[in-house]
Amino acid sequence: MPLALLALAIGAFGIGTTEFVIMGLLPDVAADFQVTIPAAGFLVTGYALGVVFGAPLMTVLGTRVTRKRMLMFLMGLFIVGNVISALAPVFGVMLAGRVIASLAHGAFFGIGSVVAADLVAPEKKAGAIAMMFTGLTVANVVGVPLGTSIGQNFGWRVTFLLVAGLGVLGLLGVAKLVPEQPKPEGVRIRHELAAFRNVQVLLAMAMTVLGFGGVFAAITYITPMMTETAGFATSSVTWLLVLFGLGMVGGNLLGGKFADRRLMPMLYVSLGALAAVLALFTLTAHHKIAAAVTIVLIGALGFATVPPLQKRVLDQAAGAPTLASAVNIGAFNLGNALSAWLGGMVIAAGFGYTAPNWVGAALAASALLLAVLSGAIERRTVNDGRPGVPGSPDPAASGNLQGAVHPASVSVPR
């Protein structure tokens, strides 16, 4: 793997840390600004919405510059947002800083996925994407617990300044290590938008929303579930989340490895197993050891879907994949918001703290059904010998067949 992937992973580590560390610092932030915890929760909601809307916006704005320069600009935006958050005199300014930082999130991962895939041979694309996303998963194992501890002991403002420092490292890494890839000739915003006429691109994005949403239906309410149902002490939630992060790291790497071999079968297995494990969590949540093991599995199976889903979008939007790739990152966050809302509804309805697990299982099962439908449409298209719909590549580039090369998968000289 080229060193450029390390620079992308460092940027992803910083972005992952700033996205999730706020959850452990909400009480401190609320106390400093003298607002309620629910009001401080807008720092989470605002960030998520910023990712959803910022991903396509920043990508469209970046169509006139090279991908490397856009990645550098995005890291600069990330740094500015976190510095504003750290120095904010009032709550509204901090919320603005969070939104500014979030605008870099979706486009960085979307454009970064395209760059990572172009750095390697076609048969290693999913592995390269997984390597970049390793920064995000490691953030949940190291960055978030460490940032939370620093914030609780030295002040939450110090945490955000350190996260801004991570952004500086990511910016320098991109500037030094990422090659200057030329802009794709003849690609305009209308070509990028044409990818959304491809039903396979839309199906992949729907799988992203539902599949990854299934994970966060359960994990959003992990604290009350583990303390009230499993009997863990509140202090134990931190290491339970570390276990979840370790599962994410392993699942992400395995997903990248096997997606390069058999993409659709990898999705079938991971989504099916995820639905089953989430349903099982309703029972294992009552037992400490079983609950801990299940949390690891949820993290692993959930992130095993990330590289194949991202590669699926890149393959199906070949020739103009950047906007579709960025929007798919927004789809992950849309799934998070949707599942958290649905999980809260079933708890509020009186079904208990384990009820969100059934919501997650249903969402993952729905994603599996869409994956089966997508595979069936692809097989029928191949068997009939019909050309793909606008914006789609040759069927052989779907990830199920080996040796196919299309314009978006040609590696650049290193």
Side-chain angles (χ1 to χ4, degrees):
M1 290 292 179
L3 282 176
L5 292 178
L6 176 61
L8 296 175
I10 292 173
F13 179 84
I15 291 174
T17 300
T18 204
E19 178 181 16
F20 296 112
V21 76
I22 187 63
M23 297 175 186
L25 299 176
L26 274 184
D28 302 276
V29 175
D32 262 18
F33 289 123
Q34 297 181 342
V35 299
T36 64
I37 293 292
F42 282 110
L43 297 173
V44 178
T45 305
Y47 188 96
L49 292 176
V51 175
V52 172
F53 292 104
L57 175 62
M58 290 294 106
T59 304
V60 168
L61 292 177
T63 54
R64 296 185 178 275
V65 299
T66 64
R67 289 166 182 159
K68 175 177 179 174
R69 292 184 181 180
M70 192 59 191
L71 288 173
M72 293 174 64
F73 169 76
L74 292 170
M75 289 312 302
L77 197 64
F78 172 80
I79 294 166
V80 170
N82 280 284
V83 170
I84 290 175
S85 294
L87 303 179
V90 295
F91 180 77
V93 175
M94 184 180 184
L95 179 58
R98 290 285 292 169
V99 172
I100 290 172
S102 72
L103 294 176
H105 184 129
F108 183 87
F109 281 106
I111 296 172
S113 294
V114 178
V115 171
D118 282 351
L119 288 170
V120 297
E123 68 274 9
K124 295 182 179 180
K125 288 199 303 178
I129 294 170
M131 187 62 66
M132 183 190 69
F133 274 92
T134 296
L136 177 64
T137 58
V138 171
N140 285 273
V141 179
V142 179
V144 173
L146 184 59
T148 300
S149 178
I150 291 173
Q152 291 172 345
N153 288 284
F154 300 100
W156 58 268
R157 295 179 187 274
V158 176
T159 295
F160 282 98
L161 284 175
L162 291 174
V163 171
L166 289 173
V168 172
L169 289 178
L171 173 59
L172 293 175
V174 171
K176 182 70 175 177
L177 300 175
V178 174
E180 189 71 71
Q181 300 173 340
K183 288 177 56 180
E185 291 295 329
V187 175
R188 299 289 184 269
I189 187 59
R190 65 178 181 274
H191 300 117
E192 297 280 355
L193 291 172
F196 295 94
R197 299 204 305 269
N198 183 349
V199 68
Q200 292 288 21
V201 171
L202 299 179
L203 283 173
M205 291 180 178
M207 284 184 261
T208 297
V209 173
L210 297 174
F212 207 70
V215 174
F216 270 78
I219 295 302
T220 299
Y221 302 98
I222 194 69
T223 297
M225 194 188 310
M226 291 297 95
T227 55
E228 300 294 330
T229 304
F232 282 104
T234 303
S235 59
S236 299
V237 175
T238 298
W239 68 260
L240 287 172
L241 290 175
V242 170
L243 290 178
F244 174 70
L246 290 172
M248 290 167 64
V249 174
N252 175 60
L253 294 175
L254 286 174
K257 179 179 180 180
F258 287 102
D260 276 325
R261 299 178 181 178
R262 301 278 291 176
L263 191 151
M264 291 306 293
M266 180 63 199
L267 277 179
Y268 300 150
V269 171
S270 56
L271 288 172
L274 177 61
V277 168
L278 284 168
L280 187 64
F281 198 24
T282 307
L283 301 177
T284 60
H286 295 273
H287 308 279
K288 289 184 177 179
I289 295 178
V293 172
T294 308
I295 288 171
V296 175
L297 291 175
I298 291 173
L301 292 169
F303 252 79
T305 67
V306 174
L309 283 172
Q310 195 68 7
K311 181 175 183 290
R312 180 74 172 171
V313 170
L314 291 178
D315 286 343
Q316 298 299 328
T322 310
L323 180 60
S325 176
V327 171
N328 196 50
I329 299 298
F332 283 106
N333 284 266
L334 180 60
N336 296 351
L338 172 65
S339 61
W341 174 66
L342 291 174
M345 284 187 63
V346 295
I347 292 175
F351 291 103
Y353 288 121
T354 61
N357 298 329
W358 286 114
V359 173
L363 290 173
S366 299
L368 174 61
L369 291 177
L370 291 182
V372 172
L373 174 62
S374 177
I377 293 173
E378 185 172 70
R379 287 191 299 272
R380 186 180 64 184
T381 301
V382 173
N383 291 336
D384 290 351
R386 293 176 297 177
V389 295
S392 66
D394 185 276
S398 66
N400 290 326
L401 302 178
Q402 299 297 317
V405 179
H406 53 78
S409 65
V410 177
S411 60
V412 299
R414 299 188 295 279

